[in-house]
Amino acid sequence: QLEPLPALTPEFLCVLNDVCVKCYTDFAPDELEVSVREHILQDLEGFVRRQFSGARLRLFGSSKNGFGFRQSDLDICMVLDGQDTMDDIDCITIIESLARLLKKHPDLKNILPITTAKVPIVKFYHVRTGLEGDISLYNTLALHNTHLLATYGAFDNRVKILCYVMKVFAKVCDIGDASRGSLSSYAYTLMVLFFLQQRNPPVIPVLQEIYDAQKKPEVLVDGWNVYFYDDLKTLPSRWSEYGGNTESVGELWLGLLRFYTEDFDFREHVICIRQRARLTTFNKQWTSKYIVIEDPFDLNHNLGAGLSRKMTNFIMKAFINGRTVFGTPIKVLSPIYPNQVE
Ligand code: GTP
Ligand code: MG
């Protein structure tokens, strides 16, 4: 029983658009903040190499996917030169000794190894910048999905802005903390990308379905195909629907809230950005959950698997309220100039 929404005036759409753009301009880090992150990374790499001589550190997640906030955490992946993979036992041992080493770093505090998680990490707090971070080992798929998200974000500015709006929305509604049982930022970003692919006409293509050869190329990482078309220069000529969608960010944001509250059948379908054809929850045998989000590379990974029924309802309510709030015009006050006041 959704409230009917009134017709939107061009003035209201203009306000809506400004609000969306502001989420991006107010929260995106500037060049200095980006370089601070690189600097911390360099410094940490030098430090870690004292004990692990072949260690290389790389940033991933929102420090690199283009949807980072000023205070977003530093997601770091460590690999050792000349070694392609690492088994779980070695990962845990190295995480533990990495934690002991990082405790000696003068700029770091609150060192905490977490070895029971699916991906073992060591967490830290960087005192001078107030940034939190974690280091994982051989988190190679995450490096690839970071590059995939970055490519979508760089393809059209509306993608970037909408991903920021979604993250702000999730923070404000308190539905964006996976460590407390809701969905991760990464999951919400996948929801935005899926919506933009399913929009008619679509705003973005399905990069994993574009290729030159007869057959989809296979680039295997941890047993999964991480191929996607990443040449932004030639992409427009490779995508027949390029430029078809000219909606504003404001229209798309309201469109997204309406899509997930009015159109998308969560029971039936999977949020899946690797193919244009709808994938069903039945196909995947993922029928016990209401919000089902397939990782674009690790096809066994459902980002919504950890949601309780209560949390699912809480998230859906946030979307329903968002639809009403963003879909109901407010009176736009015209500025009052002192000499016009009677
Ligand atoms: P922020 O909230 O700005 O930190 O966004 P983020 O994209 O960096 O999210 P987060 O720090 O939670 O995750 C870091 C990265 O881990 C993501 O961008 C993905 O590349 C990768 N990742 C892969 N699978 C998962 C998953 O199941 N959950 C999360 N949270 N991250 C995943
Ligand atoms: Mg992060």
Side-chain angles (χ1 to χ4, degrees), residues 180-281:
R180 289 193 294 126
S182 46
L183 291 171
S184 65
S185 301
Y186 176 58
Y188 285 110
T189 303
L190 296 178
M191 286 179 81
V192 174
L193 298 177
F194 178 71
F195 161 73
L196 295 172
Q197 288 174 335
Q198 298 288 323
R199 191 72 167 165
N200 188 16
V203 178
I204 53 172
V206 175
L207 292 175
Q208 286 165 274
E209 285 186 328
I210 301 179
Y211 36 85
D212 292 313
Q214 293 287 22
K215 206 170 137 277
K216 180 170 170 173
E218 211 172 59
V219 184
L220 290 182
V221 169
D222 294 344
W224 300 107
N225 191 0
V226 298
Y227 169 82
F228 65 95
Y229 196 88
D230 69 345
D231 185 359
L232 287 172
K233 278 203 214 81
T234 52
L235 184 56
S237 66
R238 295 303 317 274
W239 186 40
S240 61
E241 287 168 287
Y242 180 73
N245 186 303
T246 55
E247 289 174 281
S248 68
V249 174
E251 283 173 281
L252 289 169
W253 172 237
L254 184 56
L256 181 147
L257 293 166
R258 298 191 68 157
F259 175 73
Y260 284 118
T261 52
E262 298 173 24
D263 304 331
F264 187 69
D265 185 349
F266 282 91
R267 274 203 195 296
E268 186 77 16
H269 291 118
V270 176
I271 295 166
C272 157
I273 67 158
R274 76 184 154 93
Q275 62 178 44
R276 186 77 194 281
R278 287 278 170 98
L279 183 67
T280 65
T281 50

Side-chain angles (χ1 to χ4, degrees), residues 35-67:
S35 69
V36 163
R37 282 169 188 268
E38 293 294 341
H39 192 83
I40 296 175
L41 187 80
Q42 293 304 315
D43 171 72
L44 283 181
E45 187 175 87
F47 188 79
V48 167
R49 276 168 166 255
R50 291 184 194 177
Q51 186 174 329
F52 301 95
S53 56
R56 290 200 186 279
L57 302 190
R58 283 179 68 185
L59 277 170
F60 67 99
S62 68
S63 309
K64 283 285 173 191
N65 66 19
F67 316 124

Side-chain angles (χ1 to χ4, degrees), residues 70-254:
R70 300 224 162 94
Q71 285 304 314
S72 282
D73 63 348
L74 287 154
D75 302 295
I76 298 172
C77 169
M78 175 169 137
V79 294
L80 300 172
D81 273 345
Q83 188 175 334
D84 291 340
T85 54
M86 188 176 280
D87 64 40
D88 294 352
I89 310 273
D90 287 347
C91 268
I92 291 173
T93 317
I94 293 193
I95 285 290
E96 280 164 352
S97 65
L98 197 55
R100 283 191 294 275
L101 174 67
L102 293 180
K103 279 185 180 150
K104 297 179 198 142
H105 193 297
D107 293 340
L108 302 182
K109 247 179 40 180
N110 306 349
I111 310 296
L112 182 66
I114 301 179
T115 50
T116 50
K118 195 179 116 196
V119 179
I121 53 171
V122 48
K123 280 170 136 340
F124 62 82
Y125 174 77
H126 189 259
V127 179
R128 278 188 291 145
T129 56
L131 291 175
E132 293 189 6
D134 49 64
I135 303 180
S136 48
L137 296 170
Y138 288 88
N139 202 353
T140 321
L141 279 178
L143 296 173
H144 288 273
N145 69 41
T146 295
H147 182 40
L148 177 70
L149 267 43
T151 308
Y152 279 117
F155 174 66
D156 186 308
N157 214 28
R158 292 172 295 174
V159 178
K160 204 167 215 184
I161 297 172
L162 278 172
C163 288
Y164 271 91
V165 176
M166 188 66 161
K167 282 174 86 165
V168 173
F169 179 74
K171 272 192 209 336
V172 170
C173 300
D174 206 15
I175 54 168
D177 189 344
S179 67
R180 289 193 294 126
S182 46
L183 291 171
S184 65
S185 301
Y186 176 58
Y188 285 110
T189 303
L190 296 178
M191 286 179 81
V192 174
L193 298 177
F194 178 71
F195 161 73
L196 295 172
Q197 288 174 335
Q198 298 288 323
R199 191 72 167 165
N200 188 16
V203 178
I204 53 172
V206 175
L207 292 175
Q208 286 165 274
E209 285 186 328
I210 301 179
Y211 36 85
D212 292 313
Q214 293 287 22
K215 206 170 137 277
K216 180 170 170 173
E218 211 172 59
V219 184
L220 290 182
V221 169
D222 294 344
W224 300 107
N225 191 0
V226 298
Y227 169 82
F228 65 95
Y229 196 88
D230 69 345
D231 185 359
L232 287 172
K233 278 203 214 81
T234 52
L235 184 56
S237 66
R238 295 303 317 274
W239 186 40
S240 61
E241 287 168 287
Y242 180 73
N245 186 303
T246 55
E247 289 174 281
S248 68
V249 174
E251 283 173 281
L252 289 169
W253 172 237
L254 184 56

Side-chain angles (χ1 to χ4, degrees), residues 317-341:
K317 273 197 194 127
F319 275 83
I320 291 168
N321 286 338
R323 172 189 170 276
T324 310
V325 169
F326 288 98
T328 312
I330 41 152
K331 277 215 173 62
V332 182
L333 298 172
S334 51
I336 299 170
Y337 300 104
N339 48 7
Q340 281 181 340
V341 179

